[in-house]
Amino acid sequence: MAESVERLQQRVQELERELAQERSLQVPRSGDGGGGRVRIEKMSSEVVDSNPYSRLMALKRMGIVSDYEKIRTFAVAIVGVGGVGSVTAEMLTRCGIGKLLLFDYDKVELANMNRLFFQPHQAGLSKVQAAEHTLRNINPDVLFEVHNYNITTVENFQHFMDRISNGGLEEGKPVDLVLSCVDNFEARMTINTCAPPLVVAANIDEKTLKREGVCAASLPTTMGVVAGILVQNVLKFLLNFGTVSFYLGYNAMQDFFPTMSMKPNPQCDDRNCRKQQEEYKKKVAALPKQEVIQEEEEIIHEDNEWGIELVSEVSEEELKNFSGPVPDLPEGITVAYTIPKKQEDSVTELTVEDSGESLEDLMAKMKNM
Amino acid sequence: MADEATRRVVSEIPVLKTNAGPRDRELWVQRLKEEYQSLIRYVENNKNADNDWFRLESNKEGTRWFGKCWYIHDLLKYEFDIEFDIPITYPTTAPEIAVPELDGKTAKMYRIFLVLQLGPWLAVEIPDLIQKGVIQHKEKCNQ
């Protein structure tokens, strides 16, 4: 029995060596017709068909971006490589981002084929692995670091935090941005505990995810739009052009894009969040005042033959009873969650009393039941 | 949202006092003690009501839980392993309880709350799965 285990271990080592060799052979050399392209040291603005960055560097000549090549100095972490995350990763790869860190614990399935990026032949592979393979081929100048784990567990969270703090383009430096492209509340909350500033892309009202018998519906179109808007803002933020929206919504049914400025909750339950808010206030107070001249364009419709109105989303009746106070929001924006009011009318509740037993005692008691 | 019977069951489980998660060191130990007390009480209540349907235990740190749940159908006991991790943002977010043996077998498999849903979920899904032949009693399998 011990012999065969040892034999298996040896075989695993052999295979690992073979795989490493195969992988290194795949690094494209000049003249390699195997699909990839050669690595490029410095971005050139030369306008030739063979320059993958020519159309991007042209943004400089158009006066939109002052130094586009700065994109190669940034490291972005994308949490969630599903419908939105994978497209986001592809867009940033094609833009020539310096480094991408991808986190997801899911596998590619045929059920994912209704959206962009992944291909049927990748079914069964982990999403991060499949994504890395595809993206490396598109742009070998981008550095990739992928992690196939669930960030919400205690062990993995430590590692996740460590990579956010040290996984920058230069090891030891933090990443420049964290993009939250997850589809569940738990992961969102987890990312919130450790990453300011951050950009969130949401696609669907998460209430519908947990409804009985309904699996999350998604269209490739919505995914594409959300990812596009997300990366647009990422580029504006990193390369310092245009106006970065604090919040941008997309109502697909009516083609409505409301914006607003999100503020942190001064009564947040999380102690660390409140501490960060204080620190941020001090930081802002120390900055010099900036005058911003805004030209406001008023949209005037002279006539409205069809009586078109913009109607905001209807909230569900049953949730009204369980909802807490809803903040005052611009038209077309509604909260996805509220903190329910404390139910004073509920039956007097039992609370746990300190029975004086230690944790070990309690664990043993449970075992013997 | 929950029906009357469930509400009654829930109201007889002691409410926890300490709002702490796995990262809160001593407070987490306090919370764990309360969790165990609550669970012990719940299992006792179940035994008294002749509806004992699960057992749970955890690793030393209380971050990984595992156990069994069962459902009795036609005088036969169908038992399944359950497991879950406590997420870093607990108790703001709930853990997702996994029943690995039933993964992929039901149309509506998703991770669910213990009291509020796993019990009733078993009551609905197990007879259906048995009827469809998707699961068989362990004794039958060995024949």
Side-chain angles (χ1 to χ4, degrees):
Chain A
M1 181 67 163
E3 272 176 26
S4 55
V5 168
E6 210 185 286
R7 245 189 340 103
L8 282 171
Q9 280 173 334
Q10 271 180 332
R11 181 74 185 126
V12 168
Q13 276 172 359
E14 273 173 48
L15 287 168
E16 276 178 337
R17 271 195 297 272
E18 267 185 50
L19 182 61
Q21 268 184 328
E22 283 297 310
R23 277 205 174 128
S24 62
L25 289 175
Q26 274 174 19
V27 173
R29 292 176 289 266
S30 52
D32 181 38
R37 66 157 171 86
V38 191
R39 277 218 173 99
I40 292 172
E41 277 300 315
K42 192 163 141 50
M43 270 190 190
S44 145
S45 33
E46 201 188 350
V47 182
V48 280
D49 284 347
S50 55
N51 180 8
Y53 296 115
S54 57
R55 307 311 195 253
L56 293 165
M57 293 292 266
L59 286 162
K60 287 167 58 172
R61 209 170 313 117
M62 288 181 69
I64 303 209
V65 185
S66 49
D67 45 355
Y68 188 85
E69 42 290 271
K70 242 187 122 201
I71 192 94
R72 296 195 71 168
T73 64
F74 295 114
V76 174
I78 301 177
V79 188
V81 186
V84 175
S86 61
V87 180
T88 303
E90 182 174 346
M91 288 178 170
L92 285 170
T93 300
R94 291 181 187 273
C95 283
I97 195 90
K99 181 176 179 187
L100 279 180
L101 290 85
L102 307 178
F103 298 86
D104 198 313
Y105 70 92
D106 208 1
K107 291 199 169 79
V108 181
E109 319 266 285
L110 287 180
N112 299 147
M113 292 305 119
N114 72 320
R115 27 214 201 266
L116 301 160
F117 190 79
F118 293 115
Q119 303 251 318
H121 70 89
Q122 292 173 316
L125 293 176
S126 73
K127 284 186 174 166
V128 291
Q129 214 188 350
E132 184 185 3
H133 186 250
T134 306
L135 296 173
R136 247 188 228 285
N137 211 38
I138 292 173
N139 188 343
D141 302 327
V142 178
L143 288 176
F144 289 96
E145 186 187 305
V146 303
H147 297 287
N148 184 20
Y149 59 52
N150 181 352
I151 60 163
T152 68
T153 66
V154 177
E155 314 93 63
N156 294 334
F157 182 69
Q158 275 304 122
H159 189 266
F160 174 62
M161 271 215 303
D162 172 72
R163 292 322 294 153
I164 301 294
S165 312
N166 297 311
L169 193 61
E170 192 191 313
E171 180 64 28
K173 295 260 166 41
V175 304
D176 298 285
L177 202 55
V178 176
L179 306 185
S180 163
C181 304
V182 297
D183 61 2
N184 65 84
F185 186 62
E186 291 79 11
R188 251 181 244 289
M189 293 295 295
T190 302
I191 297 167
N192 273 343
T193 65
C194 82
L198 59 81
V199 186
V200 175
N203 211 342
I204 189 171
D205 191 357
E206 275 163 18
K207 287 197 297 293
T208 63
L209 277 173
K210 306 263 195 228
R211 253 199 240 143
E212 303 266 0
V214 172
C215 76
S218 57
L219 285 169
T221 42
T222 328
M223 301 287 165
V225 173
V226 174
I229 293 175
L230 176 65
V231 180
Q232 203 76 294
N233 270 281
V234 169
L235 293 172
K236 286 192 285 184
F237 177 73
L238 293 175
L239 297 173
N240 205 15
F241 67 93
T243 310
V244 179
S245 301
F246 282 98
Y247 170 87
L248 179 64
Y250 170 47
N251 179 335
M253 301 295 228
Q254 281 133 356
D255 283 348
F256 182 43
F257 295 79
T259 68
M260 71 173 192
S261 186
M262 273 203 309
K263 298 198 173 65
N265 178 4
Q267 277 111 38
C268 184
D269 277 339
D270 187 344
R271 284 174 222 105
N272 282 317
C273 177
R274 295 197 299 272
K275 194 174 89 170
Q276 291 283 1
Q277 284 180 49
E278 293 306 310
E279 288 178 18
Y280 183 73
K281 276 192 198 138
K282 288 186 199 140
K283 216 169 72 165
V284 168
L287 286 175
K289 299 274 177 251
Q290 270 183 341
E291 282 287 317
V292 180
I293 306 157
Q294 264 183 342
E295 279 172 31
E296 283 219 18
E297 247 186 60
E298 266 210 38
I299 301 169
I300 305 165
H301 299 282
E302 258 108 40
D303 57 78
N304 191 358
E305 272 180 32
W306 301 99
I308 297 174
E309 288 177 353
L310 284 168
V311 180
S312 50
E313 306 233 326
V314 183
S315 61
E316 291 173 317
E317 273 305 322
E318 70 164 335
L319 282 179
K320 277 220 178 106
N321 296 330
F322 288 85
S323 299
V326 177
D328 205 5
L329 294 169
E331 187 185 343
I333 301 179
T334 178
V335 291
Y337 310 100
T338 52
I339 300 168
K341 295 190 283 274
K342 298 281 176 205
Q343 307 271 5
E344 283 113 9
D345 56 334
S346 62
V347 182
T348 46
E349 299 169 322
L350 301 160
T351 48
V352 282
E353 268 139 35
D354 198 351
S355 66
E357 289 160 293
S358 72
L359 185 57
E360 287 75 24
D361 290 337
L362 290 167
M363 282 182 173
K365 193 170 169 186
M366 187 71 176
K367 259 205 172 111
N368 295 329
M369 287 186 86
Chain B
M1 289 200 207
D3 60 64
E4 265 312 306
T6 313
R7 260 196 271 259
R8 212 178 328 119
V9 171
V10 171
S11 69
E12 282 166 28
I13 304 172
V15 168
L16 308 182
K17 285 191 292 209
T18 309
N19 182 10
R23 296 176 78 198
D24 293 321
R25 282 174 280 226
E26 295 87 28
L27 281 179
W28 173 241
V29 177
Q30 182 57 32
R31 170 79 184 205
L32 260 185
K33 281 207 256 182
E34 293 175 12
E35 297 275 7
Y36 264 98
Q37 282 176 277
S38 233
L39 277 169
I40 289 169
R41 183 63 192 274
Y42 180 43
V43 173
E44 280 169 350
N45 290 352
N46 286 345
K47 281 183 163 182
N48 294 337
D50 196 27
N51 185 22
D52 186 19
W53 63 271
F54 79 94
R55 282 292 179 278
L56 271 183
E57 56 183 284
S58 75
N59 62 1
K60 223 164 31 77
E61 299 81 24
T63 54
R64 187 153 177 85
W65 290 73
F66 37 89
K68 296 198 186 288
C69 64
W70 54 88
Y71 183 74
I72 311 221
H73 183 76
D74 286 342
L75 302 178
L76 290 172
K77 181 183 188 187
Y78 293 80
E79 203 178 70
F80 305 95
D81 291 320
I82 46 180
E83 58 183 34
F84 57 93
D85 288 294
I86 300 290
I88 207 78
T89 43
Y90 187 81
T92 307
T93 62
E96 295 185 332
I97 300 169
V99 189
E101 290 161 294
L102 297 179
D103 245 344
K105 295 205 166 80
T106 63
K108 302 181 278 191
M109 181 74 201
Y110 50 89
R111 306 300 156 82
I112 43 193
F113 289 89
L114 189 68
V115 175
L116 293 178
Q117 286 173 2
L118 184 56
W121 186 84
L122 286 172
V124 168
E125 294 289 350
I126 302 306
D128 184 57
L129 287 174
I130 296 168
Q131 204 218 354
K132 286 187 180 145
V134 181
I135 53 177
Q136 282 181 317
H137 196 259
K138 284 202 173 71
E139 280 170 15
K140 283 210 190 108
C141 291
N142 294 334
Q143 272 168 6

